[in-house]
Amino acid sequence: MSTMRRAWRLTFTACALALLAACSETPKTTGAEAGMRLLTEPQYRQIIADVFGQQITIGGTFDPLVRTSGLLTVGASAARITPAGLEQLDRMARSIAAQVTSEENRDFLLPCAPADMRAPDDTCAAQFFGTTGRLLLRRSLAEDEVASLVRLANVATRELGSFHDGLASALAGLLVSPEFLFVIEQAEPDPKRDGALRLDGYSKASRLSFFLWGSAPDDELLRAAEAGELHKSSGLAKQVDRLLESPRLEEGLRLFFDDMLAFETIGRLEKDAIIFPAFSTAVALEAREQTLRTLMHMLLDEEADYRDVFTTRKTFISSALGRIYRIPVSRPDGGWMEYEFPEGDPRLGIATHVSFTALHSHAGRSSPTLRGKAIREILLCQRVPDPPGTIDFAAFNDPNSPAHTARDRLNVHSIEPACAGCHKLTDPVGLGMEHIDGAGQLRTNEDGYAIDASGSLDGFEFQDVAGIGPALRENVAAPACLVNRLYAYATARVPARNERKYLKYLEGEFADDGYRVPALLRRIALDEAMYAVKAPSTRTARVTDPVTGDPS
Amino acid sequence: MTVLLPRPVTRRSVLRGALGGATVGLSLPFLDLFLNENGTALAATGAPLPVRFGTWYWGLGHTPGHAIVPKTRTAAGIEFLTECQALKPHHDQLNFFGGFNMPLDGRSNYTHFSGWVASRTGTAPSTNSEIPAPTLDLLVADHLSNNNRFKTLDATACGIARENYSARSTNSRAAAEASPEKLYARVFGMEFADPNKADFKPDTRMMVRRSVLSAVNDDRKKLMQKVGASDRARLDEYFTSIRQLENQLETQLRKPEANQSCAIPAAPRRDGAEQNMPQGLEVDTVIANHRVMAQMMAMAVACNQTRVFNMVFSDNFSHMRRPGQTYTHHLLTHEETPDKDLGYQPVAFWFNCRTMEAFATFIDAFANIREGDGTLLDNTLIFAATETNYARVHSVDGVPVFSVGKAGGRIKTGMHVVGNGDPITRIGLTMMQIMGVPVDNWGTRSLQTSKTISEILV
């Protein structure tokens, strides 16, 4: 734990009462209905790692989620499980269960050993499902539920002639059960407010844990939920503090930024091997790691102003990345080293990292349009309209065009009325990043022609890519975007209309806190807004004809 | 109002009728009944040969004027131009559908998206990610019996699992098998039961798995009470998936019928070496993977592992590329300068030609498998379509569509069908009816149609 974080915590503890008093000024929200969301792939992986250890490997393919309000986590709140998707999840569940009960792992993952390896042992099975089931389902299991799993393991053991195979079969069933795969929130009457609802303790625990750790609640958080402590300010604060101080916070925050920065596709990012020989899948994955390391260092270790992530020269470099950045990396172990881009180097902030610039480019060249769109949509939470469906591309196809650089080519966007509206949002931003090529490497010319890399973002003019970071840092939309994304991530849904005032308030508090992310996380996690639920709508769900899509 | 017929129609129901001078599909008998009259039977059991349905997808349409010679009226004979030369040997196994429109009723043409969504769901999307209704392959799969291991089998040669143009809704879209190795492992891996193996012993582990899934299903009622109406629908879909998996296990616990057409293909390996095949969007890689996956998919169908399949050659934005070139296929369609003499964008055209060659490869894979008195293709119906007519301008009217195969003798082939501006949904409606789905009209708003393309019905 860094000194700064410890100091912050002490300050918080001392001022707890003052903070709680301040809560009275917090705009009230009514939230949304209790939800049901599918575990995202990172959450699924994190839970398995937390419960069974990092040594458990997970293969297979997850059904794709629809990015909603900028986050896959929000898309998961509407996601369904297809037959093919379930088949994959079933295969993963069996593989995980087999690894958990394997000879290599059983001694430290199972709480007991059977009396006879080839026969059922209901006592041992009950012990296993009582503890493991609680962590996987994020609640204590009722006696009959444990009994049902034990019975299943018993029958399977008799059929297969192996206690561990039988246990694995029942565990696989648990891992494919809807209560594991979906986080199903439950509301209950709020004793403090007549007729109002609140999330039950377990649901609160899950929201909190997935928000801060990107994973399921641990034993202590479940205990606090069972004891009703999360319904009390002091009990909630104690747990929030504990989660924030845990090393697992870093993993949780990494998962958030991985989602926000749309890094889920970076592992299959392709670049043309002839044009960009230094680029590879390994480089792409390490580029992601570089940005996440930079963010964690800045935001957690140094508790820096969030806006500084757009201008920092500090970062981390690996050997593979050294080839792209053209930096000698003397780490024979292939590890990471801290690095600071020297004065005069135009690399400032995460938007100039390989992860961002290569991800938002084509396979064989850069793309000012894609980069401009990504800056606006991912980092500023702005919406760039879809391109119109009927565009006359004749102007792009002019054989006499003197287009040598991207700026020359994209000039058509500004003179073609159908294009100009949207491209004026994207191109001036992206053209300012043209000193970085499609693989994230610095350059000053394109095919021998000097690049004019001047750009602008919402009135902030700059001369080259060194200006994009300061332009983002000074843009009020950047910290507001983080607030909105974090809140949507915490609640795993699109913020409701009744939460707009609260979000504005949160943006103000973020500024007052010096744009310190741990403070923002704490505020969100402590505010009632994050847990507010309202009664289900009495309106009947719209049912549509499966063939025609008509209401029926 | 559009309705699903409440119950299956009996044999010899009315196939066609005339209404206002137009040919209208009223109802169709179930496929198996039809097959008793026109199909052939499995030699081993005397059971009718199953008819299968599939889709084949390619991105970025055609080069108008250089693919198929347009016609003014529906007639036998398809005239293939340079871009489609590879299809010429398959003339008698194809139909081409041209001149069908895609009215969007004021909704945006979400580029490279509206086209495939509207032609496959019958409804134009209202956002750039909405899939407003199930795609037609799933409607066919829902209708066909569940006696096969997989309800549908989806694969993509472009290496991106989410590029699957089959979905039940926006939030219910399965990942496709994105590599030959993954497709092979899923179909012909450890759980494949060879129908031609003399001995068969039900796998105890599968019986146990079935019991486990059955136990999961037992919680259904209790859980349904815990959630709101919209989430109930999602849970319901989950439990449907559980039942599908149970059904899959059921089929694997039965001894498969001997099947002379079924021969387990060799596991895919790069140049015979112990390495996976290369992945990526470099065009030769996509073509190589597609060739292997086509053969595997055809064999999966021949081995009765599924009756419905979806194969994607290139994604809707076709990110295929040539080594050392800065422009992808998609970028070329917009930014390449057309050759004055040729009248088209030569490199984009080159990609389109490779695409049609791949299509021919896919057809070959089915045509090369003997089944009954004919081939697997004779007992298959493939809906092959793209999302745009001319990618350069994103037009969605006149999107080219092919049908492939004879569907067990239920469809005429070698026809060039002219749409005369009718909604493109007429093609999907007719395909579903051929597959026995009891639907008398399909689509919404201006895409709604009840007009079967009777000219291609036998």
Side-chain angles (χ1 to χ4, degrees), chain B residues 136-166:
Chain B
L136 78 169
D137 57 292
L138 291 177
L139 298 176
V140 173
D142 287 343
H143 169 70
L144 296 178
S145 65
N146 268 340
N147 288 330
N148 298 94
R149 187 172 156 206
F150 303 111
K151 189 166 184 175
T152 66
L153 199 54
D154 309 331
T156 174
C158 64
I160 306 167
R162 69 166 299 125
E163 297 303 338
N164 181 16
Y165 304 102
S166 165

PDB file of all heavy atoms in Angstrom, chain B residues 136-166:
ATOM      1  N   LEU B 136     -33.107 -16.116 -40.220  1.00  0.00           N
ATOM      2  CA  LEU B 136     -33.918 -17.185 -40.794  1.00  0.00           C
ATOM      3  C   LEU B 136     -33.348 -18.584 -40.542  1.00  0.00           C
ATOM      4  O   LEU B 136     -34.100 -19.544 -40.414  1.00  0.00           O
ATOM      5  CB  LEU B 136     -34.171 -16.957 -42.290  1.00  0.00           C
ATOM      6  CG  LEU B 136     -33.084 -17.268 -43.303  1.00  0.00           C
ATOM      7  CD1 LEU B 136     -33.697 -17.212 -44.710  1.00  0.00           C
ATOM      8  CD2 LEU B 136     -31.947 -16.315 -43.243  1.00  0.00           C
ATOM      9  N   ASP B 137     -32.046 -18.701 -40.400  1.00  0.00           N
ATOM     10  CA  ASP B 137     -31.470 -20.021 -40.134  1.00  0.00           C
ATOM     11  C   ASP B 137     -31.959 -20.573 -38.802  1.00  0.00           C
ATOM     12  O   ASP B 137     -32.179 -21.779 -38.660  1.00  0.00           O
ATOM     13  CB  ASP B 137     -29.940 -19.939 -40.127  1.00  0.00           C
ATOM     14  CG  ASP B 137     -29.441 -18.933 -39.114  1.00  0.00           C
ATOM     15  OD1 ASP B 137     -29.666 -17.726 -39.316  1.00  0.00           O
ATOM     16  OD2 ASP B 137     -28.857 -19.353 -38.100  1.00  0.00           O
ATOM     17  N   LEU B 138     -32.146 -19.678 -37.833  1.00  0.00           N
ATOM     18  CA  LEU B 138     -32.623 -20.145 -36.527  1.00  0.00           C
ATOM     19  C   LEU B 138     -34.103 -20.499 -36.579  1.00  0.00           C
ATOM     20  O   LEU B 138     -34.549 -21.413 -35.876  1.00  0.00           O
ATOM     21  CB  LEU B 138     -32.355 -19.085 -35.453  1.00  0.00           C
ATOM     22  CG  LEU B 138     -30.871 -18.881 -35.122  1.00  0.00           C
ATOM     23  CD1 LEU B 138     -30.687 -17.770 -34.095  1.00  0.00           C
ATOM     24  CD2 LEU B 138     -30.248 -20.172 -34.599  1.00  0.00           C
ATOM     25  N   LEU B 139     -34.851 -19.792 -37.416  1.00  0.00           N
ATOM     26  CA  LEU B 139     -36.269 -20.155 -37.571  1.00  0.00           C
ATOM     27  C   LEU B 139     -36.378 -21.535 -38.210  1.00  0.00           C
ATOM     28  O   LEU B 139     -37.232 -22.344 -37.835  1.00  0.00           O
ATOM     29  CB  LEU B 139     -36.992 -19.102 -38.416  1.00  0.00           C
ATOM     30  CG  LEU B 139     -37.000 -17.694 -37.801  1.00  0.00           C
ATOM     31  CD1 LEU B 139     -37.647 -16.702 -38.751  1.00  0.00           C
ATOM     32  CD2 LEU B 139     -37.729 -17.688 -36.461  1.00  0.00           C
ATOM     33  N   VAL B 140     -35.501 -21.815 -39.152  1.00  0.00           N
ATOM     34  CA  VAL B 140     -35.487 -23.147 -39.757  1.00  0.00           C
ATOM     35  C   VAL B 140     -35.055 -24.180 -38.719  1.00  0.00           C
ATOM     36  O   VAL B 140     -35.671 -25.244 -38.577  1.00  0.00           O
ATOM     37  CB  VAL B 140     -34.555 -23.186 -40.987  1.00  0.00           C
ATOM     38  CG1 VAL B 140     -34.394 -24.605 -41.508  1.00  0.00           C
ATOM     39  CG2 VAL B 140     -35.071 -22.276 -42.091  1.00  0.00           C
ATOM     40  N   ALA B 141     -34.010 -23.838 -37.963  1.00  0.00           N
ATOM     41  CA  ALA B 141     -33.511 -24.781 -36.949  1.00  0.00           C
ATOM     42  C   ALA B 141     -34.560 -25.061 -35.884  1.00  0.00           C
ATOM     43  O   ALA B 141     -34.689 -26.192 -35.403  1.00  0.00           O
ATOM     44  CB  ALA B 141     -32.244 -24.228 -36.306  1.00  0.00           C
ATOM     45  N   ASP B 142     -35.312 -24.016 -35.504  1.00  0.00           N
ATOM     46  CA  ASP B 142     -36.370 -24.216 -34.507  1.00  0.00           C
ATOM     47  C   ASP B 142     -37.410 -25.201 -35.021  1.00  0.00           C
ATOM     48  O   ASP B 142     -38.009 -25.959 -34.259  1.00  0.00           O
ATOM     49  CB  ASP B 142     -37.068 -22.882 -34.194  1.00  0.00           C
ATOM     50  CG  ASP B 142     -36.184 -21.959 -33.365  1.00  0.00           C
ATOM     51  OD1 ASP B 142     -35.202 -22.450 -32.774  1.00  0.00           O
ATOM     52  OD2 ASP B 142     -36.479 -20.756 -33.309  1.00  0.00           O
ATOM     53  N   HIS B 143     -37.631 -25.129 -36.318  1.00  0.00           N
ATOM     54  CA  HIS B 143     -38.674 -25.978 -36.897  1.00  0.00           C
ATOM     55  C   HIS B 143     -38.222 -27.432 -37.070  1.00  0.00           C
ATOM     56  O   HIS B 143     -39.000 -28.357 -36.834  1.00  0.00           O
ATOM     57  CB  HIS B 143     -39.107 -25.413 -38.255  1.00  0.00           C
ATOM     58  CG  HIS B 143     -39.979 -26.361 -39.013  1.00  0.00           C
ATOM     59  ND1 HIS B 143     -41.268 -26.641 -38.611  1.00  0.00           N
ATOM     60  CD2 HIS B 143     -39.733 -27.137 -40.094  1.00  0.00           C
ATOM     61  CE1 HIS B 143     -41.781 -27.546 -39.441  1.00  0.00           C
ATOM     62  NE2 HIS B 143     -40.877 -27.858 -40.345  1.00  0.00           N
ATOM     63  N   LEU B 144     -36.996 -27.597 -37.476  1.00  0.00           N
ATOM     64  CA  LEU B 144     -36.536 -28.965 -37.737  1.00  0.00           C
ATOM     65  C   LEU B 144     -36.399 -29.730 -36.432  1.00  0.00           C
ATOM     66  O   LEU B 144     -36.203 -29.162 -35.369  1.00  0.00           O
ATOM     67  CB  LEU B 144     -35.185 -28.937 -38.463  1.00  0.00           C
ATOM     68  CG  LEU B 144     -35.212 -28.310 -39.863  1.00  0.00           C
ATOM     69  CD1 LEU B 144     -33.809 -28.299 -40.455  1.00  0.00           C
ATOM     70  CD2 LEU B 144     -36.148 -29.041 -40.783  1.00  0.00           C
ATOM     71  N   SER B 145     -36.492 -31.009 -36.526  1.00  0.00           N
ATOM     72  CA  SER B 145     -36.454 -31.811 -35.305  1.00  0.00           C
ATOM     73  C   SER B 145     -35.081 -31.713 -34.646  1.00  0.00           C
ATOM     74  O   SER B 145     -34.085 -31.346 -35.268  1.00  0.00           O
ATOM     75  CB  SER B 145     -36.747 -33.259 -35.638  1.00  0.00           C
ATOM     76  OG  SER B 145     -35.717 -33.762 -36.460  1.00  0.00           O
ATOM     77  N   ASN B 146     -35.055 -32.049 -33.381  1.00  0.00           N
ATOM     78  CA  ASN B 146     -33.821 -31.932 -32.613  1.00  0.00           C
ATOM     79  C   ASN B 146     -33.047 -33.230 -32.560  1.00  0.00           C
ATOM     80  O   ASN B 146     -32.438 -33.543 -31.552  1.00  0.00           O
ATOM     81  CB  ASN B 146     -34.160 -31.486 -31.189  1.00  0.00           C
ATOM     82  CG  ASN B 146     -34.127 -29.981 -31.067  1.00  0.00           C
ATOM     83  OD1 ASN B 146     -33.513 -29.311 -31.885  1.00  0.00           O
ATOM     84  ND2 ASN B 146     -34.801 -29.469 -30.069  1.00  0.00           N
ATOM     85  N   ASN B 147     -33.099 -33.982 -33.620  1.00  0.00           N
ATOM     86  CA  ASN B 147     -32.465 -35.295 -33.568  1.00  0.00           C
ATOM     87  C   ASN B 147     -30.992 -35.280 -33.952  1.00  0.00           C
ATOM     88  O   ASN B 147     -30.390 -36.324 -34.123  1.00  0.00           O
ATOM     89  CB  ASN B 147     -33.211 -36.274 -34.472  1.00  0.00           C
ATOM     90  CG  ASN B 147     -34.547 -36.635 -33.852  1.00  0.00           C
ATOM     91  OD1 ASN B 147     -34.670 -36.641 -32.625  1.00  0.00           O
ATOM     92  ND2 ASN B 147     -35.541 -36.899 -34.675  1.00  0.00           N
ATOM     93  N   ASN B 148     -30.465 -34.105 -34.135  1.00  0.00           N
ATOM     94  CA  ASN B 148     -29.048 -34.013 -34.469  1.00  0.00           C
ATOM     95  C   ASN B 148     -28.276 -33.438 -33.287  1.00  0.00           C
ATOM     96  O   ASN B 148     -28.838 -32.812 -32.410  1.00  0.00           O
ATOM     97  CB  ASN B 148     -28.847 -33.138 -35.709  1.00  0.00           C
ATOM     98  CG  ASN B 148     -29.536 -33.741 -36.911  1.00  0.00           C
ATOM     99  OD1 ASN B 148     -30.666 -33.403 -37.202  1.00  0.00           O
ATOM    100  ND2 ASN B 148     -28.876 -34.671 -37.570  1.00  0.00           N
ATOM    101  N   ARG B 149     -27.005 -33.689 -33.329  1.00  0.00           N
ATOM    102  CA  ARG B 149     -26.167 -33.293 -32.198  1.00  0.00           C
ATOM    103  C   ARG B 149     -26.177 -31.774 -31.990  1.00  0.00           C
ATOM    104  O   ARG B 149     -26.325 -31.301 -30.869  1.00  0.00           O
ATOM    105  CB  ARG B 149     -24.750 -33.790 -32.475  1.00  0.00           C
ATOM    106  CG  ARG B 149     -23.800 -33.622 -31.338  1.00  0.00           C
ATOM    107  CD  ARG B 149     -22.499 -34.342 -31.682  1.00  0.00           C
ATOM    108  NE  ARG B 149     -21.392 -33.793 -30.956  1.00  0.00           N
ATOM    109  CZ  ARG B 149     -20.144 -33.835 -31.361  1.00  0.00           C
ATOM    110  NH1 ARG B 149     -19.849 -34.405 -32.534  1.00  0.00           N
ATOM    111  NH2 ARG B 149     -19.179 -33.344 -30.636  1.00  0.00           N
ATOM    112  N   PHE B 150     -26.015 -31.036 -33.069  1.00  0.00           N
ATOM    113  CA  PHE B 150     -25.993 -29.574 -32.942  1.00  0.00           C
ATOM    114  C   PHE B 150     -27.224 -28.986 -33.619  1.00  0.00           C
ATOM    115  O   PHE B 150     -27.547 -29.351 -34.745  1.00  0.00           O
ATOM    116  CB  PHE B 150     -24.747 -28.989 -33.619  1.00  0.00           C
ATOM    117  CG  PHE B 150     -23.461 -29.544 -33.089  1.00  0.00           C
ATOM    118  CD1 PHE B 150     -22.673 -30.374 -33.881  1.00  0.00           C
ATOM    119  CD2 PHE B 150     -23.032 -29.245 -31.808  1.00  0.00           C
ATOM    120  CE1 PHE B 150     -21.481 -30.885 -33.404  1.00  0.00           C
ATOM    121  CE2 PHE B 150     -21.835 -29.757 -31.314  1.00  0.00           C
ATOM    122  CZ  PHE B 150     -21.061 -30.587 -32.111  1.00  0.00           C
ATOM    123  N   LYS B 151     -27.845 -28.046 -32.915  1.00  0.00           N
ATOM    124  CA  LYS B 151     -29.003 -27.396 -33.537  1.00  0.00           C
ATOM    125  C   LYS B 151     -28.539 -26.579 -34.742  1.00  0.00           C
ATOM    126  O   LYS B 151     -29.172 -26.590 -35.789  1.00  0.00           O
ATOM    127  CB  LYS B 151     -29.688 -26.490 -32.517  1.00  0.00           C
ATOM    128  CG  LYS B 151     -31.009 -25.952 -32.981  1.00  0.00           C
ATOM    129  CD  LYS B 151     -31.796 -25.360 -31.825  1.00  0.00           C
ATOM    130  CE  LYS B 151     -33.161 -24.908 -32.300  1.00  0.00           C
ATOM    131  NZ  LYS B 151     -33.981 -24.440 -31.171  1.00  0.00           N
ATOM    132  N   THR B 152     -27.470 -25.858 -34.563  1.00  0.00           N
ATOM    133  CA  THR B 152     -26.824 -25.191 -35.703  1.00  0.00           C
ATOM    134  C   THR B 152     -25.321 -25.312 -35.497  1.00  0.00           C
ATOM    135  O   THR B 152     -24.851 -25.513 -34.382  1.00  0.00           O
ATOM    136  CB  THR B 152     -27.164 -23.680 -35.805  1.00  0.00           C
ATOM    137  OG1 THR B 152     -26.605 -23.005 -34.688  1.00  0.00           O
ATOM    138  CG2 THR B 152     -28.648 -23.427 -35.859  1.00  0.00           C
ATOM    139  N   LEU B 153     -24.604 -25.171 -36.572  1.00  0.00           N
ATOM    140  CA  LEU B 153     -23.146 -25.185 -36.500  1.00  0.00           C
ATOM    141  C   LEU B 153     -22.648 -23.973 -37.277  1.00  0.00           C
ATOM    142  O   LEU B 153     -22.985 -23.813 -38.449  1.00  0.00           O
ATOM    143  CB  LEU B 153     -22.632 -26.485 -37.122  1.00  0.00           C
ATOM    144  CG  LEU B 153     -21.211 -26.932 -36.778  1.00  0.00           C
ATOM    145  CD1 LEU B 153     -20.983 -27.014 -35.277  1.00  0.00           C
ATOM    146  CD2 LEU B 153     -20.937 -28.293 -37.410  1.00  0.00           C
ATOM    147  N   ASP B 154     -21.909 -23.111 -36.591  1.00  0.00           N
ATOM    148  CA  ASP B 154     -21.506 -21.850 -37.204  1.00  0.00           C
ATOM    149  C   ASP B 154     -19.982 -21.759 -37.264  1.00  0.00           C
ATOM    150  O   ASP B 154     -19.307 -22.059 -36.281  1.00  0.00           O
ATOM    151  CB  ASP B 154     -22.017 -20.664 -36.372  1.00  0.00           C
ATOM    152  CG  ASP B 154     -23.507 -20.768 -36.056  1.00  0.00           C
ATOM    153  OD1 ASP B 154     -24.232 -21.374 -36.859  1.00  0.00           O
ATOM    154  OD2 ASP B 154     -23.930 -20.260 -35.012  1.00  0.00           O
ATOM    155  N   ALA B 155     -19.483 -21.321 -38.385  1.00  0.00           N
ATOM    156  CA  ALA B 155     -18.028 -21.199 -38.524  1.00  0.00           C
ATOM    157  C   ALA B 155     -17.706 -19.968 -39.360  1.00  0.00           C
ATOM    158  O   ALA B 155     -18.506 -19.530 -40.186  1.00  0.00           O
ATOM    159  CB  ALA B 155     -17.447 -22.446 -39.189  1.00  0.00           C
ATOM    160  N   THR B 156     -16.531 -19.428 -39.117  1.00  0.00           N
ATOM    161  CA  THR B 156     -16.099 -18.273 -39.885  1.00  0.00           C
ATOM    162  C   THR B 156     -14.637 -18.431 -40.274  1.00  0.00           C
ATOM    163  O   THR B 156     -13.813 -18.811 -39.447  1.00  0.00           O
ATOM    164  CB  THR B 156     -16.317 -16.950 -39.113  1.00  0.00           C
ATOM    165  OG1 THR B 156     -15.751 -15.871 -39.854  1.00  0.00           O
ATOM    166  CG2 THR B 156     -15.672 -16.981 -37.741  1.00  0.00           C
ATOM    167  N   ALA B 157     -14.364 -18.150 -41.534  1.00  0.00           N
ATOM    168  CA  ALA B 157     -12.998 -18.323 -42.032  1.00  0.00           C
ATOM    169  C   ALA B 157     -12.144 -17.091 -41.788  1.00  0.00           C
ATOM    170  O   ALA B 157     -10.933 -17.142 -41.978  1.00  0.00           O
ATOM    171  CB  ALA B 157     -13.027 -18.635 -43.523  1.00  0.00           C
ATOM    172  N   CYS B 158     -12.785 -15.986 -41.372  1.00  0.00           N
ATOM    173  CA  CYS B 158     -11.997 -14.760 -41.210  1.00  0.00           C
ATOM    174  C   CYS B 158     -11.381 -14.669 -39.823  1.00  0.00           C
ATOM    175  O   CYS B 158     -10.759 -13.660 -39.489  1.00  0.00           O
ATOM    176  CB  CYS B 158     -12.829 -13.526 -41.547  1.00  0.00           C
ATOM    177  SG  CYS B 158     -14.230 -13.250 -40.480  1.00  0.00           S
ATOM    178  N   GLY B 159     -11.562 -15.698 -39.024  1.00  0.00           N
ATOM    179  CA  GLY B 159     -10.839 -15.775 -37.761  1.00  0.00           C
ATOM    180  C   GLY B 159     -11.420 -14.967 -36.615  1.00  0.00           C
ATOM    181  O   GLY B 159     -10.829 -14.902 -35.549  1.00  0.00           O
ATOM    182  N   ILE B 160     -12.572 -14.362 -36.829  1.00  0.00           N
ATOM    183  CA  ILE B 160     -13.153 -13.519 -35.780  1.00  0.00           C
ATOM    184  C   ILE B 160     -14.461 -14.162 -35.331  1.00  0.00           C
ATOM    185  O   ILE B 160     -15.448 -14.183 -36.074  1.00  0.00           O
ATOM    186  CB  ILE B 160     -13.406 -12.089 -36.298  1.00  0.00           C
ATOM    187  CG1 ILE B 160     -12.108 -11.519 -36.896  1.00  0.00           C
ATOM    188  CG2 ILE B 160     -13.914 -11.195 -35.178  1.00  0.00           C
ATOM    189  CD1 ILE B 160     -12.313 -10.257 -37.705  1.00  0.00           C
ATOM    190  N   ALA B 161     -14.467 -14.677 -34.107  1.00  0.00           N
ATOM    191  CA  ALA B 161     -15.597 -15.490 -33.647  1.00  0.00           C
ATOM    192  C   ALA B 161     -16.910 -14.728 -33.645  1.00  0.00           C
ATOM    193  O   ALA B 161     -17.972 -15.310 -33.874  1.00  0.00           O
ATOM    194  CB  ALA B 161     -15.303 -16.032 -32.257  1.00  0.00           C
ATOM    195  N   ARG B 162     -16.864 -13.425 -33.402  1.00  0.00           N
ATOM    196  CA  ARG B 162     -18.127 -12.696 -33.327  1.00  0.00           C
ATOM    197  C   ARG B 162     -18.711 -12.423 -34.718  1.00  0.00           C
ATOM    198  O   ARG B 162     -19.852 -11.987 -34.840  1.00  0.00           O
ATOM    199  CB  ARG B 162     -17.982 -11.393 -32.535  1.00  0.00           C
ATOM    200  CG  ARG B 162     -17.168 -10.311 -33.186  1.00  0.00           C
ATOM    201  CD  ARG B 162     -17.378  -8.966 -32.465  1.00  0.00           C
ATOM    202  NE  ARG B 162     -18.756  -8.538 -32.524  1.00  0.00           N
ATOM    203  CZ  ARG B 162     -19.506  -8.237 -31.471  1.00  0.00           C
ATOM    204  NH1 ARG B 162     -19.035  -8.297 -30.273  1.00  0.00           N
ATOM    205  NH2 ARG B 162     -20.751  -7.850 -31.618  1.00  0.00           N
ATOM    206  N   GLU B 163     -17.940 -12.671 -35.768  1.00  0.00           N
ATOM    207  CA  GLU B 163     -18.466 -12.452 -37.117  1.00  0.00           C
ATOM    208  C   GLU B 163     -19.324 -13.631 -37.530  1.00  0.00           C
ATOM    209  O   GLU B 163     -18.958 -14.440 -38.374  1.00  0.00           O
ATOM    210  CB  GLU B 163     -17.336 -12.205 -38.116  1.00  0.00           C
ATOM    211  CG  GLU B 163     -16.524 -10.966 -37.828  1.00  0.00           C
ATOM    212  CD  GLU B 163     -17.350  -9.685 -37.771  1.00  0.00           C
ATOM    213  OE1 GLU B 163     -18.453  -9.653 -38.350  1.00  0.00           O
ATOM    214  OE2 GLU B 163     -16.904  -8.728 -37.121  1.00  0.00           O
ATOM    215  N   ASN B 164     -20.464 -13.711 -36.902  1.00  0.00           N
ATOM    216  CA  ASN B 164     -21.426 -14.769 -37.178  1.00  0.00           C
ATOM    217  C   ASN B 164     -22.746 -14.079 -37.480  1.00  0.00           C
ATOM    218  O   ASN B 164     -23.256 -13.336 -36.642  1.00  0.00           O
ATOM    219  CB  ASN B 164     -21.548 -15.670 -35.933  1.00  0.00           C
ATOM    220  CG  ASN B 164     -22.521 -16.811 -36.151  1.00  0.00           C
ATOM    221  OD1 ASN B 164     -22.877 -17.121 -37.286  1.00  0.00           O
ATOM    222  ND2 ASN B 164     -22.964 -17.423 -35.074  1.00  0.00           N
ATOM    223  N   TYR B 165     -23.278 -14.308 -38.665  1.00  0.00           N
ATOM    224  CA  TYR B 165     -24.468 -13.564 -39.065  1.00  0.00           C
ATOM    225  C   TYR B 165     -25.733 -14.368 -38.792  1.00  0.00           C
ATOM    226  O   TYR B 165     -26.666 -14.393 -39.578  1.00  0.00           O
ATOM    227  CB  TYR B 165     -24.318 -13.081 -40.516  1.00  0.00           C
ATOM    228  CG  TYR B 165     -23.054 -12.263 -40.622  1.00  0.00           C
ATOM    229  CD1 TYR B 165     -21.890 -12.802 -41.165  1.00  0.00           C
ATOM    230  CD2 TYR B 165     -23.000 -10.990 -40.069  1.00  0.00           C
ATOM    231  CE1 TYR B 165     -20.709 -12.076 -41.174  1.00  0.00           C
ATOM    232  CE2 TYR B 165     -21.823 -10.261 -40.074  1.00  0.00           C
ATOM    233  CZ  TYR B 165     -20.690 -10.799 -40.627  1.00  0.00           C
ATOM    234  OH  TYR B 165     -19.517 -10.076 -40.617  1.00  0.00           O
ATOM    235  N   SER B 166     -25.684 -15.041 -37.682  1.00  0.00           N
ATOM    236  CA  SER B 166     -26.824 -15.792 -37.172  1.00  0.00           C
ATOM    237  C   SER B 166     -27.034 -15.326 -35.744  1.00  0.00           C
ATOM    238  O   SER B 166     -26.093 -15.311 -34.946  1.00  0.00           O
ATOM    239  CB  SER B 166     -26.500 -17.288 -37.196  1.00  0.00           C
ATOM    240  OG  SER B 166     -27.425 -18.004 -36.407  1.00  0.00           O
TER     241      SER B 166
END
